[in-house]
């Protein structure tokens, strides 16, 4: 039996690299987690995964060399380090394998209690072990895709002269005017200071004012665009809406480009080009993970991604869209009429059944959109645009901004908003105002689309939804 103390010190090779190697006969070191162990009493085959790639590396272990007892903790989930000789694999589906010379066991995973001992768990079950689900093939693929898409987003904007502009997470304004915000306070909730009028005395709070977690970086982002020309934000946003749907999170990541001297048509061009770039980037750079997801999660995934990249998005007005929906003869859960806020079922009907293409709807009724949107001459609609995607519905929401001070001020008043916390925003229309436009892409909705996953809780490592913030 081998003396296992003090393994030979070799630099670790990631499995993604090891699988490419051709220097057979040489010794390398790999480290990772055991996905499966099978074999007989003479030899064990360990499928080792280190997260660098969806594929496992096969480790061949001559049991006599190490002793049955020493190898016992090497079961699914265990973490090990292996020095072994690289050999050409005879098994199909893999090019190389390692013949183990030395093995160090970092940590076992008791087969009786390790929750991922067996395969084929439901997504619901895996949500309950969010701390361990990154160890599964599906979730590791999704999380790698999140990384690649984040990188592609920065690359897209950097290559086009946009600046990454950091907007605050704690704000005093309500960008969307929707009022569904998480408050940020250091006041003692058991003994809240009150004013003479009996209201909460926010002057005693940390910031001497009422603050909340941001619902969007847009308002501050506009200040960046009105100086740097083209900016984008990419950060977490928070919405305290009680929407328990497969497409809503209370904490999600949003990308918000904002461009000075541009109108809503430029905005739609940017949105379409941006989405196609990202999907194309995934097709070109995430092949292994996409092949896996296409095989295991959604058999039409690759086809759908190619389709979106290869076809123009349909652009039409909200008014035309509603007409199509009204004349469709389709039974919707929510009624559809001019002035109604569209639901995902309506959006998906237009995309999946009627046009069979991504759709950009624009010129929405003023009443259902935010205060900052540029008003059209008809006084009924605003230059808003939503990009609607198959299986997702709204993936992007944006608009040209109202850059006329008086019109914007009036809109704030008409919607009953408190103008005080956004005095600075209004002021940007007093000094050097200019046409500008921008949009927000929900990062997790993008990830839903590029992975074929169906629930937004399964495309972010630790989802925040109503009643759920355990991990
Ligand atoms: O349409 P929304 O609310 O637009 C804004 O926040 C604007 N300030 C954007 C802008 O013009 N700069 O949100 C933008 C996108 C949606 O299209 C959707 O993809 C995503 O953010 N989104 C959510 N994603 C997950 N969970 C939620 N609760 C979401 N709410 C919006
Ligand atoms: Mg929206």
């Amino acid at each position: 039996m081998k003396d296992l103390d003090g393994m030979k010190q070799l630099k670790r090779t990631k499995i993604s690299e090891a699988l490419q190697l051709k220097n057979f006969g040489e010794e390398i070191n790999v480290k990772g987690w055991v996905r499966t162990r099978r074999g007989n009493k003479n030899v064990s085959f360990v499928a080792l995964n280190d997260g660098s790639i969806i594929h496992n590396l096969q480790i061949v272990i001559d049991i006599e060399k190490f002793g049955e007892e020493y190898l016992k903790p090497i079961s699914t989930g265990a973490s090990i380090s292996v020095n072994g000789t690289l050999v050409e694999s005879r098994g199909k589906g893999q090019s190389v394998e390692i013949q183990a010379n030395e093995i160090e066991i970092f940590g076992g995973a008791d087969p009786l209690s390790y929750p991922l001992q067996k395969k084929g768990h439901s997504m619901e079950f895996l949500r309950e072990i969010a701390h361990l689900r990154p160890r599964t093939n599906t979730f590791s693929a999704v999380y790698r895709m999140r990384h690649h898409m984040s990188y592609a987003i920065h690359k897209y904007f950097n290559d086009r002269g946009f600046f990454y502009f950091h907007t605050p997470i704690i704000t005093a304004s309500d960008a969307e005017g929707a009022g569904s915000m998480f408050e940020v306070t250091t006041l003692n909730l058991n003994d809240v200071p009150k004013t003479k009028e009996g209201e909460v005395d926010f002057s005693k709070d940390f910031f001497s004012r009422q603050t909340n977690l941001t619902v969007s970086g847009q308002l501050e982002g506009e200040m960046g665009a009105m100086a740097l020309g083209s900016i984008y934000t990419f950060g977490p946003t928070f919405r305290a809406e009680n929407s328990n749907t497969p497409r809503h999170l209370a904490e999600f990541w949003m990308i918000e480009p904002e461009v000075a001297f541009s109108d809503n048509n430029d905005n739609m061009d940017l949105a379409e080009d941006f989405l196609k770039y990202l999907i194309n980037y995934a097709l070109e750079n995430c092949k292994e993970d996409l092949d896996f997801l296409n095989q295991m999660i959604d058999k039409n995934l690759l086809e759908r991604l190619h389709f979106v990249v290869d076809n123009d998005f349909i652009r039409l007005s909200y008014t035309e869209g509603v007409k199509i929906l009204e004349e469709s003869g389709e039974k919707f859960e929510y009624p559809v009429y001019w002035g109604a806020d569209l639901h995902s079922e309506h959006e998906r009907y237009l995309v999946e059944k009627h046009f069979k293409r991504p759709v950009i709807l624009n010129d929405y009724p003023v009443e259902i959109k935010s205060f900052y949107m540029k008003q059209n001459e008809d006084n009924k609609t605003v230059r808003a645009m939503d990009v609607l995607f198959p299986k997702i519905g709204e993936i992007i929401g944006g608009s040209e901004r109202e850059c006329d001070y008086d019109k914007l001020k009036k809109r704030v008043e008409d919607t009953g908003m408190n103008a005080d916390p956004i005095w600075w925003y209004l002021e940007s229309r007093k000094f050097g105002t200019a046409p500008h436009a921008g949009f927000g892409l929900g990062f997790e909705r993008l990830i839903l689309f590029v992975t074929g996953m169906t629930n937004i809780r399964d495309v972010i490592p630790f989802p925040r939804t109503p009643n759920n913030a355990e991990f």
Side-chain angles (χ1 to χ4, degrees):
M1 223 199 293
K2 222 174 161 88
D3 173 15
L4 293 157
D5 286 338
M7 261 179 41
K8 196 192 298 165
Q9 290 300 307
L10 293 172
K11 193 169 168 290
R12 174 186 167 213
T13 302
K14 287 198 177 167
I15 288 175
S16 55
E17 288 157 30
L19 290 170
Q20 303 296 321
L21 293 177
K22 293 273 176 283
N23 49 334
F24 303 117
E26 280 181 32
E27 192 174 39
I28 63 166
N29 172 267
V30 291
K31 295 179 171 69
W33 294 270
V34 174
R35 281 288 210 265
T36 56
R37 177 181 172 186
R38 56 193 179 80
N40 52 41
K41 62 181 187 341
N42 301 319
V43 57
S44 268
F45 300 99
V46 166
L48 196 69
N49 189 285
D50 68 358
S52 60
I53 189 167
I54 189 91
H55 303 304
N56 304 323
L57 178 66
Q58 172 149 288
I59 315 289
V60 185
I61 305 172
D62 176 358
I63 292 178
E64 203 185 290
K65 196 164 169 181
F66 298 90
E68 193 96 57
E69 200 48 35
Y70 181 77
L71 297 173
K72 212 165 166 209
I74 303 183
S75 58
T76 299
S79 168
I80 61 174
S81 171
V82 183
N83 286 343
T85 311
L86 192 74
V87 294
E88 206 159 357
S89 175
R90 272 162 296 163
K92 70 170 188 316
Q94 61 216 15
S95 50
V96 302
E97 59 189 37
I98 302 281
Q99 236 132 34
N101 301 326
E102 298 175 289
I103 301 176
E104 185 183 347
I105 299 163
F106 291 129
D110 179 7
L112 293 177
S113 53
Y114 183 54
L116 295 173
Q117 174 64 25
K118 290 210 175 60
K119 281 184 170 185
H121 291 299
S122 71
M123 292 293 165
E124 288 77 12
F125 172 77
L126 293 170
R127 254 169 245 154
E128 287 166 21
I129 51 164
H131 60 307
L132 292 174
R133 66 180 185 168
R135 304 258 194 101
T136 64
N137 287 333
T138 300
F139 284 88
S140 65
V142 168
Y143 299 153
R144 275 188 297 271
M145 297 282 296
R146 278 185 73 97
H147 162 78
H148 290 297
M149 288 293 94
S150 303
Y151 176 76
I153 286 160
H154 287 298
K155 180 163 167 52
Y156 178 86
F157 287 124
N158 184 63
D159 289 353
R160 285 157 186 77
F162 284 65
F163 300 106
Y164 184 21
F165 193 69
H166 297 93
T167 51
I169 289 175
I170 302 173
T171 75
S173 56
D174 177 1
E176 292 305 298
S180 49
M181 299 180 298
F182 291 99
E183 253 179 69
V184 174
T185 182
T186 52
L187 291 179
N188 178 356
L189 295 183
N190 291 315
D191 185 15
V192 178
K194 294 280 173 69
T195 60
K196 276 203 249 44
E197 294 75 35
E199 284 170 356
V200 178
D201 186 1
F202 286 106
S203 72
K204 303 256 165 39
D205 205 347
F206 189 90
F207 297 106
S208 305
R209 63 178 66 241
Q210 190 175 6
T211 54
N212 49 269
L213 294 177
T214 188
V215 295
S216 157
Q218 179 196 323
L219 302 192
E220 295 89 348
E222 283 186 44
M223 304 305 109
M226 292 301 282
L228 305 176
S230 303
I231 64 95
Y232 68 104
T233 73
F234 186 178
T237 43
F238 307 86
R239 298 196 183 176
E241 327 160 311
N242 200 358
S243 17
N244 257 309
T245 83
R247 286 173 311 277
H248 287 88
L249 289 166
E251 176 179 298
F252 63 99
W253 288 68
M254 187 155 44
I255 300 97
E256 296 183 274
E258 192 72 34
V259 185
F261 316 116
S262 87
D263 64 18
N264 206 35
N265 286 322
D266 303 322
N267 205 27
M268 290 191 276
D269 290 344
L270 180 66
E272 180 167 346
D273 186 61
F274 180 45
L275 286 169
K276 285 180 171 168
Y277 174 91
L278 295 178
I279 294 164
N280 210 27
Y281 186 94
L283 287 167
E284 282 174 7
N285 296 278
C286 310
K287 210 182 160 323
E288 272 122 355
D289 287 326
L290 281 180
D291 284 344
F292 171 82
L293 293 163
N294 191 71
Q295 199 185 333
M296 303 302 290
I297 299 294
D298 179 349
K299 296 263 187 287
N300 301 316
L301 175 62
L302 288 171
E303 194 192 329
R304 199 161 49 245
L305 297 184
H306 281 291
F307 184 81
V308 167
V309 170
D310 293 339
N311 288 284
D312 286 344
F313 297 2
I314 302 280
R315 297 184 191 186
L316 80 162
S317 70
Y318 167 93
T319 304
E320 293 166 302
V322 166
K323 195 151 174 274
I324 291 169
L325 291 167
E326 282 175 333
E327 290 169 0
S328 68
E330 187 88 1
K331 278 219 159 56
F332 295 112
E333 190 183 335
Y334 295 92
V336 57
Y337 52 91
W338 200 94
D341 212 349
L342 298 186
H343 288 262
S344 155
E345 55 171 345
H346 308 126
E347 297 169 340
R348 292 182 58 178
Y349 177 86
L350 290 174
V351 172
E352 292 165 19
K353 298 229 173 97
H354 189 83
F355 290 110
K356 301 192 169 63
R357 298 249 190 119
V359 169
I360 311 184
L361 272 191
N362 52 56
D363 289 336
Y364 279 79
V366 60
E367 288 81 16
I368 58 170
K369 287 291 182 185
S370 300
F371 74 98
Y372 50 70
M373 294 184 178
K374 168 102 180 155
Q375 296 155 47
N376 279 319
E377 287 71 36
D378 63 7
N379 282 326
K380 278 170 28 194
T381 58
V382 287
R383 276 180 217 166
M385 62 99 180
D386 278 5
V387 182
L388 314 179
F389 255 34
K391 300 200 75 164
I392 309 288
E394 179 190 338
I395 193 164
I396 277 181
S399 71
E400 187 172 334
R401 317 307 187 189
E402 184 54 75
C403 59
D404 180 287
Y405 178 81
D406 294 322
K407 284 189 183 165
L408 183 61
K409 185 95 195 304
K410 181 151 189 319
R411 229 3 231 144
V412 169
E413 284 157 9
D414 288 353
T415 49
M417 284 176 70
N418 181 4
D420 294 344
I422 52 163
W423 65 270
W424 51 272
Y425 182 74
L426 295 167
E427 195 155 274
S428 68
R429 274 63 171 172
K430 269 193 196 164
F431 307 121
T433 192
H436 59 289
F439 61 78
L441 166 66
F443 186 60
E444 283 72 24
R445 295 206 184 163
L446 171 74
I447 301 299
L448 277 177
F449 187 73
V450 295
T451 58
M453 300 291 282
T454 50
N455 193 312
I456 202 161
R457 292 164 179 79
D458 301 329
V459 295
I460 186 165
F462 298 99
R464 297 287 175 261
T465 50
N467 308 315
N468 175 26
E470 183 170 354
F471 302 93

